[in-house]
């Protein structure tokens, strides 16, 4: 028997064992429910991941809602794209720019409170199956919203509604409540080399 044939057979045996384990785990996980996913960390890709899942939800014909906290001064590619589907996506840009741009805490608080009022409407609507709360973690980090109220509103949502929360520095209480948490780490970023944000990548 050649070395290649032996390697192929070992691979087959490993994959058969792996398939049996995964099939058993799937069989033992029959439940379906609305999930809370938190995307946090200092690395790039938190909002990008959320909007990728939004595209997936649209592909399944789901009714979706987006509320963008903090962001708002400039249109982004995802906003321009998802606004093409008004029959499926309620898209709300509620921020007035990054905190270092507004430089006005009370104005930022008012914008965040208005954004949360819209978020609550989405979270209370059983017809909305998928909600993206983009940069909510930042609003909570700066104390613009009452954390306990936010968590209570998320917990009280319809049972099959999925919610994605993005932004660095997620509160421990948000992480505890979440079903899935991903922390994006930064190994390298073009901005460190003096390259500004690019359309199609960051904008």
């Amino acid at each position: 028997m050649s070395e290649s044939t032996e390697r192929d057979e070992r691979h087959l045996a490993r994959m058969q064992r792996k398939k049996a384990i995964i099939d058993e785990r799937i069989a033992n996980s029959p439940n379906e429910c609305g999930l809370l996913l938190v995307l946090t960390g200092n690395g790039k890709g938190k909002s990008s991941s959320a909007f990728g899942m939004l595209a997936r939800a649209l592909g399944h014909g789901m009714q979706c809602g987006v509320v963008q906290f903090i962001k708002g001064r400039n249109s982004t590619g995802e906003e321009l794209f998802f606004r093409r589907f008004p029959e499926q996506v309620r898209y709300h840009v509620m921020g007035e720019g990054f905190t270092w741009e507004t430089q006005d805490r009370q104005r930022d608080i008012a914008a965040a409170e208005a954004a949360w009022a819209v978020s609550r409407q989405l979270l209370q609507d059983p017809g909305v199956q998928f909600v993206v709360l983009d940069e909510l973690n930042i609003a909570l980090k700066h104390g613009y919203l009452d954390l306990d109220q936010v968590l209570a509103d998320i917990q009280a949502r319809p049972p099959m509604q999925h919610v994605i929360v993005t932004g660095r520095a997620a509160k421990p209480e948000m992480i505890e409540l979440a079903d899935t948490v991903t922390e994006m780490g930064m190994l390298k970023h073009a901005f460190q080399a003096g390259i500004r944000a690019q359309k199609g990548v960051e904008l």
Side-chain angles (χ1 to χ4, degrees):
M1 184 181 296
S2 70
E3 181 180 343
S4 177
T5 302
E6 288 180 359
R7 186 174 182 181
D8 291 345
E9 289 184 353
R10 289 196 303 270
H11 174 80
L12 175 61
R14 282 198 309 272
M15 292 305 104
Q16 288 175 335
R17 290 194 299 270
K18 186 171 185 177
K19 176 174 169 47
I21 291 169
I22 292 174
D23 286 350
E24 182 180 3
R25 292 181 67 182
I26 292 172
N28 292 329
S29 303
N31 299 326
E32 291 186 359
C33 63
L35 299 177
L36 171 60
L37 296 90
V38 173
L39 306 173
T40 192
N42 293 330
K44 173 180 163 42
K46 297 177 289 294
S47 296
S48 300
S49 176
F51 286 113
M53 284 185 274
L54 176 62
R56 181 179 292 160
L58 289 182
H60 287 291
M62 293 182 176
Q63 290 295 312
C64 305
V66 176
V67 180
Q68 290 193 286
F69 295 77
I70 311 299
K71 297 173 181 175
R73 288 188 63 184
N74 302 304
S75 293
T76 60
E78 56 262 29
E79 178 189 355
L80 295 171
F81 177 76
F82 286 111
R83 285 198 186 279
R84 299 177 187 175
F85 306 93
E87 71 285 355
Q88 272 186 273
V89 183
R90 306 180 200 176
Y91 205 109
H92 305 274
V93 180
M94 305 291 293
E96 296 193 13
F98 293 104
T99 53
W100 61 84
E101 294 171 333
T102 63
Q103 301 180 16
D104 186 335
R105 178 175 167 77
Q106 292 306 313
R107 181 172 157 187
D108 291 339
I109 289 173
E113 288 176 343
W116 190 249
V118 173
S119 301
R120 291 185 77 182
Q121 292 176 6
L122 294 171
L123 293 169
Q124 293 170 356
D125 188 342
V128 177
Q129 299 156 292
F130 191 97
V131 178
V132 175
L133 302 175
D134 190 37
E135 303 293 358
L136 172 59
N137 287 332
I138 299 297
L140 293 171
K141 172 190 173 184
H142 290 299
Y144 297 163
L145 297 169
D146 181 83
L147 176 61
D148 290 339
Q149 184 62 63
V150 166
L151 297 177
D153 289 340
I154 291 174
Q155 282 186 291
R157 72 190 188 278
M160 289 304 296
Q161 187 184 80
H162 303 300
V163 176
I164 316 293
V165 173
T166 76
R168 60 183 63 195
K171 292 286 188 179
E173 296 88 344
M174 182 68 76
I175 291 173
E176 177 65 25
L177 182 63
D179 299 289
T180 299
V181 180
T182 299
E183 185 173 24
M184 308 284 189
M186 184 177 71
L187 299 181
K188 189 176 182 180
H189 198 293
F191 188 65
Q192 296 171 323
I195 301 172
R196 67 176 60 191
Q198 303 291 298
K199 287 183 178 179
V201 180
E202 289 92 4
L203 304 175

